[in-house]
Amino acid sequence: PHALNLDRGGIIVRWELGEAANYSQKEYQRDRTWNVKGSNDPTSRHRLFRRLHDLLKPLSHDQRYDIIDALHTWSGLQTAVRDSHRPLSSSELIRLAEGNLIEIAAHSVTHPVLSWLSAASQRKEIIQCKIYLEQLLGSLVTSFAYPYGHPNDYTTETIDILREAGFECACSTIPGRGCRN
């Protein structure tokens, strides 16, 4: 389709794709290394993706998936996860942990921006993830990776919650910062 209309809480948001609606295999190959974290958008299709990413990021898990379902309906595509992009299964995660080469860390239940949540909601995201992983793995989980990983995505309150929960360190995406106690 050449235009996208999304209902965001009664407000219709519209994007015109124009010629970018027709995306060839050659263009896909040219742009396949593009990443939303970069600064350039080779086409209006990429600008739309970036806008959708920004739109979805602050929403709750259920709100995000409502919009993703609407996008699948709009595009006519089936909801499917590519084998190369799927999460690990429980048995794969257990096998990975048994290898003693990789540490399994907590990350949250629904991947929210923690700094946008109340302390109670942050605590729920963090603790439920920790409990699930510890029960699955049969061992303590003492490291945490902040969803999105930027310092604006967590607060000193988040750090306090992690300490109270028994985490020994937490990691961000900022180069050179490493895992901090």
Side-chain angles (χ1 to χ4, degrees):
H2 289 269
L4 170 62
N5 297 309
L6 282 179
D7 183 345
R8 185 168 180 230
I11 298 170
I12 303 296
V13 182
R14 180 175 174 86
W15 288 278
E16 295 287 340
L17 282 171
E19 288 303 314
N22 304 313
Y23 197 61
S24 70
Q25 184 65 26
K26 182 179 177 181
E27 290 167 314
Y28 168 75
Q29 289 300 325
R30 178 195 68 204
D31 302 330
R32 66 186 296 223
T33 60
W34 178 85
N35 187 299
V36 73
K37 292 182 180 182
S39 60
N40 70 321
D41 296 322
T43 69
S44 58
R45 179 186 205 90
H46 294 83
R47 279 190 297 282
L48 171 58
F49 186 95
R50 184 182 304 281
R51 293 274 306 156
L52 289 170
H53 177 268
D54 293 344
L55 174 79
L56 293 173
K57 189 175 174 182
L59 300 180
S60 72
H61 179 264
D62 291 342
Q63 291 170 319
R64 281 190 302 238
Y65 278 89
D66 286 347
I67 291 178
I68 290 170
D69 287 343
L71 288 169
H72 281 118
T73 300
W74 168 79
S75 69
L77 298 174
Q78 296 290 327
T79 302
V81 177
R82 292 178 283 179
D83 283 342
S84 60
H85 291 68
R86 68 172 178 77
L88 294 174
S89 68
S90 296
S91 61
E92 290 170 331
L93 192 60
I94 291 166
R95 280 198 334 259
L96 187 63
E98 288 171 347
N100 293 322
L101 181 62
I102 295 175
E103 176 187 8
I104 306 299
H107 191 56
S108 73
V109 175
T110 65
H111 204 271
V113 178
L114 293 169
S115 62
W116 296 351
L117 300 179
S118 67
S121 293
Q122 287 186 60
R123 189 170 280 107
K124 183 177 176 183
E125 284 281 340
I126 292 165
I127 300 297
Q128 284 184 353
C129 181
K130 182 176 175 53
I131 290 170
Y132 171 78
L133 287 173
E134 288 179 347
Q135 288 176 347
L136 179 70
L137 301 174
S139 61
L140 288 176
V141 173
T142 59
S143 296
F144 186 85
Y146 297 109
Y148 302 101
H150 192 273
N152 294 337
D153 298 328
Y154 57 93
T155 65
T156 55
E157 193 170 48
T158 311
I159 296 167
D160 292 342
I161 292 167
L162 291 171
R163 284 187 178 125
E164 291 166 15
F167 287 98
E168 295 174 2
C169 70
C171 302
S172 74
T173 60
I174 305 303
R177 290 222 173 150
C179 198
R180 303 273 181 182
N181 295 346

